[in-house]
């Protein structure tokens, strides 16, 4: 299965992608994680990406497409993959289609997890991440045993720059302006599947499986 996950920041794409990867045996490719790895470096590409990420803006297509193309051509993507955070624009989607059509492996489904803005802001602005091991917590739903301290390694918990409320709301505005047109793009292709992401994690997961189980049984889908 070759899947695209769509939805605004805070829709729970990463959470569901991890479950999809575990059940169906395909890698979860998060452009957010890829960018964070790049940002650890001190080179020109890292400086370019950093300017966009810290402002809550989208990284230009030509940079993202090359990063993703290299990733989906690695051996572990032979059975498929889940793209989380890409494509974000129509040109990116068209570029992805060109890459996959050349390989003879079109997109199986585009899963759209939709949530309200208030839900998204609550989920992200209350998130904390360990500086050392990158473990993720939520102050309401998954708090650490000791405030500000990672349960796993004892590292310091911090709020990511792009999780601050004002940045989250800006990211949502950018999403609506530039990414929502993808819904029409994939709807016209007949591969869009809409899922209510405002539900609990388990309820959303049940809905996701109802969509993906038939595709997994298909084999070549």
């Amino acid at each position: 299965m070759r899947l695209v996950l769509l939805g605004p920041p805070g829709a729970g794409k990463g959470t569901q992608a991890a479950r999809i990867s575990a059940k169906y045996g395909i890698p979860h490719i998060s452009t957010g994680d890829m960018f964070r790895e790049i940002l650890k470096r001190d080179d020109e590409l890292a400086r370019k990406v950093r300017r966009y990420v810290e402002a809550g803006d989208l990284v230009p297509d030509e940079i993202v497409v090359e990063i993703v193309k290299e990733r989906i051509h690695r051996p572990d993507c032979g059975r498929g993959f889940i793209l989380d955070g890409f494509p974000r624009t129509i040109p990116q989607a068209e570029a992805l289609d060109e890459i996959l059509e050349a390989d003879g492996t079109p997109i199986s489904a585009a899963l759209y997890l939709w949530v309200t803005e208030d839900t998204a802001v609550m989920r992200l602005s209350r998130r904390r991440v360990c500086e050392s091991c990158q473990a993720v917590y939520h102050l309401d739903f998954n708090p650490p045993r000791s405030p500000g301290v990672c349960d796993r390694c004892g590292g310091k918990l911090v709020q990511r720059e792009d999780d601050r409320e004002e940045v989250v709301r800006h990211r949502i505005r950018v999403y609506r302006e530039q990414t929502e047109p993808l819904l029409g793009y994939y709807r016209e292709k007949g591969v869009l599947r809409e899922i209510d992401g405002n539900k609990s994690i388990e309820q959303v997961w049940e809905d996701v499986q109802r969509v993906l189980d038939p595709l997994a049984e298909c084999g070549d889908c």
Side-chain angles (χ1 to χ4, degrees):
M1 287 189 296
R2 294 157 302 281
L3 308 174
V4 168
L5 280 182
L6 301 173
K13 299 187 295 295
T15 298
Q16 297 302 325
R19 293 190 172 204
I20 293 169
S21 178
K23 176 174 180 177
Y24 300 102
I26 55 179
H28 170 205
I29 302 174
S30 167
T31 51
D33 290 343
M34 293 169 68
F35 289 149
R36 278 186 280 276
E37 285 300 314
I38 291 173
L39 291 174
K40 294 177 181 178
R41 304 180 340 215
D42 185 21
D43 56 26
E44 183 58 29
L45 177 59
R47 287 188 286 273
K48 287 181 180 179
V49 172
R50 187 176 295 110
R51 286 197 295 269
Y52 293 101
V53 172
E54 291 183 350
D57 291 329
L58 299 181
V59 177
D61 292 347
E62 62 270 18
I63 297 176
V64 183
V65 170
E66 286 304 313
I67 294 173
V68 172
K69 180 179 180 180
E70 185 277 333
R71 180 64 185 89
I72 64 176
H73 281 155
R74 293 182 191 174
D76 65 335
C77 291
R79 296 181 55 194
F81 51 78
I82 315 152
L83 285 176
D84 172 13
F86 179 93
R88 291 181 182 271
T89 64
I90 296 296
Q92 287 183 1
E94 293 172 339
L96 177 63
D97 282 345
E98 289 179 5
I99 294 169
L100 296 179
E101 286 169 6
D103 296 337
T105 55
I107 286 293
S108 304
L111 303 182
Y112 172 46
L113 303 182
W114 64 272
V115 293
T116 65
E117 181 171 334
D118 286 344
T119 295
V121 170
M122 180 273 294
R123 287 177 177 176
L124 294 183
S125 65
R126 302 281 289 170
R127 185 167 63 180
R128 298 294 182 271
V129 180
C130 177
E131 280 187 325
S132 301
C133 71
Q134 300 303 304
V136 179
Y137 298 85
H138 193 280
L139 299 183
D140 300 313
F141 305 133
N142 180 37
R145 288 191 293 269
S146 298
V149 179
C150 178
D151 295 346
R152 182 187 301 174
C153 72
K156 179 182 178 182
L157 300 185
V158 298
Q159 183 181 47
R160 289 174 179 161
E161 178 69 17
D162 56 353
D163 281 348
R164 291 187 295 110
E165 180 173 346
E166 59 270 31
V167 176
V168 171
R169 292 192 183 277
H170 176 70
R171 290 167 62 198
I172 293 172
R173 288 194 297 272
V174 171
Y175 168 82
R176 287 175 174 168
E177 293 170 0
Q178 301 187 33
T179 309
E180 279 194 342
L182 284 172
L183 303 182
Y185 180 85
Y186 284 117
R187 186 176 289 113
E188 288 183 5
K189 288 181 171 290
V191 296
L192 185 70
R193 302 292 183 269
E194 300 189 40
I195 295 173
D196 183 356
N198 295 287
K199 299 178 181 179
S200 71
I201 291 174
E202 293 302 327
Q203 289 173 319
V204 173
W205 175 231
E206 289 298 321
D207 291 343
V208 167
Q209 292 177 92
R210 276 192 284 271
V211 170
L212 297 186
D213 281 350
L215 295 178
E217 293 171 2
C218 174
D220 291 333
C221 296

